[in-house]
Amino acid sequence: MKVTDMKLPIYLDYSSTTPVDERVAEAMTKCLTLDGNYGNPASRSHSFGWDAEKAVEDARGHVAALIHADPKEIVWTSGATESDNLAIKGAAHFYQKKGKHIITCKTEHKAVLDTCRQLEREGFEVTYLEPQSSGMIDLDKFQAAIRDDTILVSIMHVNNEIGVIQDIKAIGEITRKRKIIFHVDAAQSPGKAEVDLRDMNVDLMSLSAHKVYGPKGIGALYVCRKPRVRIEAQIHGGGHERGMRSGTLATHQIVGMGEAFRIAKEEMAADNERILMLRNRLLNGFKDIDEIYINGDLEQRIPGNLNVSFNFIEGESLIMALKDIAVSSGSACTSASLEPSYVLRALGRDDELAHSSIRFTIGRFTTAEEVDYATQLIKGAVVKLRDLSPLWEMHKEGIDLKTVEWAAH
Amino acid sequence: MAYSDKVLDHYENPRNVGSFDKDDRSVGTGMVGAPACGDVMKLQIKIDDDGVIEDAKFKTYGCGSAIASSSLLTEWVKGKTLAQASEIKNTDIAEELALPPVKIHCSVLAEDAIQAAIEDLKSKDASGAEHKKIA
């Protein structure tokens, strides 16, 4: 590829969302207009409905196939946030007579944490596990947290910030033995980390389309049939999706998600090999930079994620210097709270390292040339901002910043 | 979030970056903020024999607005007496840089920095009457 072909800014935020694959977009556009498959999948009395229903069921099959589930176990939702809400509130409400204790982890997505907070307001008790510094859950600590009245465990598969992959199978073995419902937020997994529900002992799994080159606004919840898992519906209406989630099915969105998952299954191995090569190329490009820290385990991690703290540089100013690349900062300085990433804090990272973190996520359309260009930009910005940093100056003078008494404001 | 043109200009071309010898009796150093909060500002002012600020330097760890606030401050204090410099208010900085509400704390930090630098000079003055001659 020639230099002139590269488009700026460079997108390195694939864990935030992905562009819709052309093949997905094409399949979706066939389900909208007068010439297309526009019927209501719930219409039983004519071919418009039957055709739409067939498209929806084909898509359900593609989604199920990627995670090795039965298509009957897939319930369409508006996205992973709704799936998390439906799974956690639905299971908690259904099984509350058995107990009111829930276990989750501090590094979960807000869709899980805030749902748990809501259940606490309703009288449930929630244990928030502290992960190890690698981001992985300590299974002994997890087992110790289980009580006789524990009804639900919610642990994510792939972390959105640090890309760390939890040992879902090991957790599932424990929950199944104790007859505790196990929910897994797998919004970040499809196409990146292997999901085989035939031997994971997972009861509920949240899925999303837009993280895997499908459209936004569509997701699914896997609801295990053997053993049968029950959830209370959160949205009531026409009784769609076997009563678990009412509302007219969005054929074009569902077809998009199905196509995205079909492609993911077919191309996952090749995609991941190439993406890992690019991730390592980026990491290798940083090797001359002093005082950088990788956040989260580098081995137990999806190929496309690199979360790095550049010590003595504040994340937001670094992002500002990198305006030609689109990345996320672990520092939420843009919000009024001034809180650094709660995920990095949960790993035990110092506030300043949490403030200095950048998440790079590489995807299907990233090129080696883009990675090289980004590396050069980052190296230049790090030099510039460290020249500006009083902390870097103190570090160079040999002052241990931990011994300094700061005037907090 | 969109930054104002002035913030971008100071961020991309920061004025007066650097350090003076903090033990120099004509130099006042103000270091405010904390790494844990996401910003640390170091502002240094150097006064001449008449007590007028002849030069200023800064280094800032923080977001673009914090860098711009301190850069602007170094421009403003030059040529001012300590009394005049101490009258610079955070609202003046916030207004000049068109800082949004979530970034007002950056201008507050800049005001704290100039006050701290002045305090530092005054304490040096108090600890040795020889100050003027040395300077």
Side-chain angles (χ1 to χ4, degrees):
Chain A
M1 191 190 257
K2 296 194 300 290
V3 175
T4 46
D5 291 341
M6 198 169 64
K7 261 195 347 202
L8 295 177
I10 296 163
Y11 192 74
L12 292 175
D13 204 12
Y14 278 83
S15 280
S16 179
T17 193
T18 58
V20 170
D21 191 291
E22 294 284 351
R23 293 165 285 184
V24 170
E26 200 192 325
M28 289 175 71
T29 55
K30 289 180 182 155
C31 304
L32 290 165
T33 57
L34 186 61
D35 299 335
N37 191 357
Y38 66 84
N40 185 334
S43 296
R44 303 282 164 169
S45 50
H46 48 69
S47 65
F48 295 92
W50 305 330
D51 290 347
E53 189 190 18
K54 169 145 195 330
V56 165
E57 293 316 311
D58 286 349
R60 205 188 295 275
H62 292 315
V63 170
L66 182 66
I67 58 175
H68 302 281
D70 186 303
K72 291 192 195 75
E73 297 175 310
I74 303 298
V75 173
W76 300 115
T77 67
S78 64
T81 292
E82 188 193 327
S83 299
D84 288 341
N85 272 265
L86 175 57
I88 296 169
K89 289 178 188 164
H93 290 157
F94 193 91
Y95 294 101
Q96 59 184 322
K97 285 201 186 76
K98 283 180 66 186
K100 290 212 147 191
H101 182 236
I102 297 165
I103 299 173
T104 186
C105 179
K106 287 184 173 172
T107 50
E108 292 294 308
H109 191 270
K110 286 283 181 193
V112 167
L113 293 176
D114 282 4
T115 302
C116 287
R117 288 273 182 238
Q118 172 57 27
L119 288 172
E120 281 183 285
R121 283 191 285 272
E122 293 175 19
F124 288 86
E125 259 187 81
V126 182
T127 299
Y128 299 90
L129 293 173
E130 191 130 322
Q132 302 172 68
S133 59
S134 63
M136 299 293 285
I137 290 197
D138 180 332
L139 290 176
D140 292 334
K141 266 196 198 167
F142 167 63
Q143 266 183 301
I146 297 175
R147 311 191 319 209
D148 288 340
D149 63 340
T150 305
I151 51 165
L152 174 67
V153 168
S154 181
I155 299 292
M156 75 204 313
H157 185 212
V158 173
N159 185 275
N160 49 307
E161 283 195 31
I162 53 178
V164 165
I165 306 168
Q166 293 294 347
D167 189 350
I168 294 302
K169 190 178 170 182
I171 297 169
E173 271 170 26
I174 299 166
T175 51
R176 188 58 58 87
K177 235 178 258 165
R178 299 285 299 257
K179 293 197 167 58
I180 297 164
I181 300 293
F182 183 25
H183 166 248
V184 174
D185 175 358
Q188 296 282 350
S189 313
K192 298 174 202 137
E194 196 62 55
V195 177
D196 187 347
L197 288 171
R198 288 170 303 188
D199 75 343
M200 281 174 130
N201 290 319
V202 168
D203 297 305
L204 299 159
M205 179 175 274
S206 301
L207 300 165
S208 171
H210 78 100
K211 308 285 191 190
V212 57
Y213 314 98
K216 295 162 188 63
I218 183 75
L221 180 67
Y222 158 85
V223 183
C224 184
R225 282 163 67 93
K226 277 180 200 163
R228 187 178 180 208
V229 171
R230 308 288 299 272
I231 50 171
E232 229 172 58
Q234 302 297 307
I235 294 178
H236 302 89
H240 306 77
E241 300 297 282
R242 287 173 291 126
M244 283 185 267
R245 204 279 193 179
S246 288
T248 296
L249 294 177
T251 314
H252 64 298
Q253 298 287 86
I254 289 168
V255 163
M257 179 159 177
E259 182 65 3
F261 274 56
R262 184 192 68 75
I263 295 168
K265 188 172 172 68
E266 229 166 63
E267 303 184 355
M268 186 170 161
D271 259 2
N272 281 338
E273 192 186 318
R274 202 183 63 83
I275 289 168
L276 182 63
M277 182 271 288
L278 292 177
R279 203 262 317 266
N280 289 339
R281 192 179 178 110
L282 184 64
L283 184 58
N284 196 42
F286 293 161
K287 72 175 189 302
D288 305 332
I289 307 177
D290 248 4
E291 282 290 323
I292 67 168
Y293 299 85
I294 308 295
N295 297 307
D297 195 285
L298 195 56
E299 299 306 316
Q300 284 298 316
R301 177 192 289 256
I302 55 164
N305 176 296
L306 193 62
N307 189 314
V308 187
S309 288
F310 297 88
N311 207 2
F312 313 116
I313 297 176
E314 193 274 331
E316 194 184 324
S317 66
L318 184 53
I319 283 190
M320 209 168 154
L322 303 176
K323 58 181 189 303
D324 281 343
I325 62 177
V327 291
S328 292
S329 164
S331 166
C333 187
T334 43
S335 72
S337 68
L338 284 171
E339 286 293 313
S341 154
Y342 67 90
V343 171
L344 300 187
R345 293 287 292 120
L347 304 188
R349 277 285 189 234
D350 294 344
D351 276 341
E352 52 255 58
L353 277 180
H355 271 300
S356 304
S357 75
I358 301 276
R359 179 187 73 178
F360 302 91
T361 44
I362 293 165
R364 185 178 287 167
F365 306 109
T366 311
T367 65
E369 190 197 14
E370 287 177 329
V371 167
D372 293 347
Y373 186 87
T375 310
Q376 288 314 311
L377 269 184
I378 293 153
K379 285 167 101 168
V382 167
V383 169
K384 175 191 158 162
L385 290 167
R386 282 190 172 158
D387 280 345
L388 262 176
S389 168
L391 304 182
W392 178 247
E393 184 180 67
M394 291 164 84
H395 169 72
K396 283 284 165 193
E397 287 168 2
I399 299 169
D400 180 1
L401 296 181
K402 290 193 175 40
T403 63
V404 178
E405 264 188 55
W406 300 100
H409 57 290
Chain B
M1 194 183 68
Y3 293 94
S4 71
D5 289 344
K6 281 182 180 161
V7 168
L8 284 174
D9 179 41
H10 277 281
Y11 172 77
E12 273 162 22
N13 313 292
R15 333 288 202 251
N16 308 308
V17 175
S19 299
F20 297 128
D21 175 8
K22 64 181 189 313
D23 297 324
D24 183 338
R25 302 199 64 91
S26 65
V27 169
T29 303
M31 174 111 84
V32 293
C37 304
D39 21 36
V40 175
M41 231 176 241
K42 188 184 82 168
L43 176 76
Q44 293 187 301
I45 50 175
K46 191 177 172 67
I47 51 168
D48 63 17
D49 291 347
D50 304 320
V52 173
I53 298 170
E54 60 172 14
D55 204 356
K57 293 223 181 280
F58 86 97
K59 284 202 175 188
T60 290
Y61 161 88
C63 66
S65 300
I67 291 169
S69 295
S70 33
S71 168
L72 174 69
L73 191 61
T74 58
E75 282 193 322
W76 276 4
V77 296
K78 277 195 213 177
K80 284 194 165 68
T81 63
L82 295 185
Q84 288 167 333
S86 72
E87 274 168 20
I88 295 172
K89 289 282 165 274
N90 82 288
T91 44
D92 304 332
I93 296 165
E95 195 180 328
E96 172 69 15
L97 295 174
L99 298 182
V102 297
K103 294 298 184 187
I104 295 299
H105 70 275
C106 298
S107 64
V108 174
L109 205 59
E111 185 186 320
D112 290 351
I114 182 67
Q115 297 298 345
I118 293 169
E119 277 308 305
D120 183 48
L121 257 181
K122 284 182 176 164
S123 70
K124 279 181 181 171
D125 205 27
S127 66
E130 295 298 293
H131 151 65
K132 286 277 158 59
K133 266 183 226 160
I134 295 163

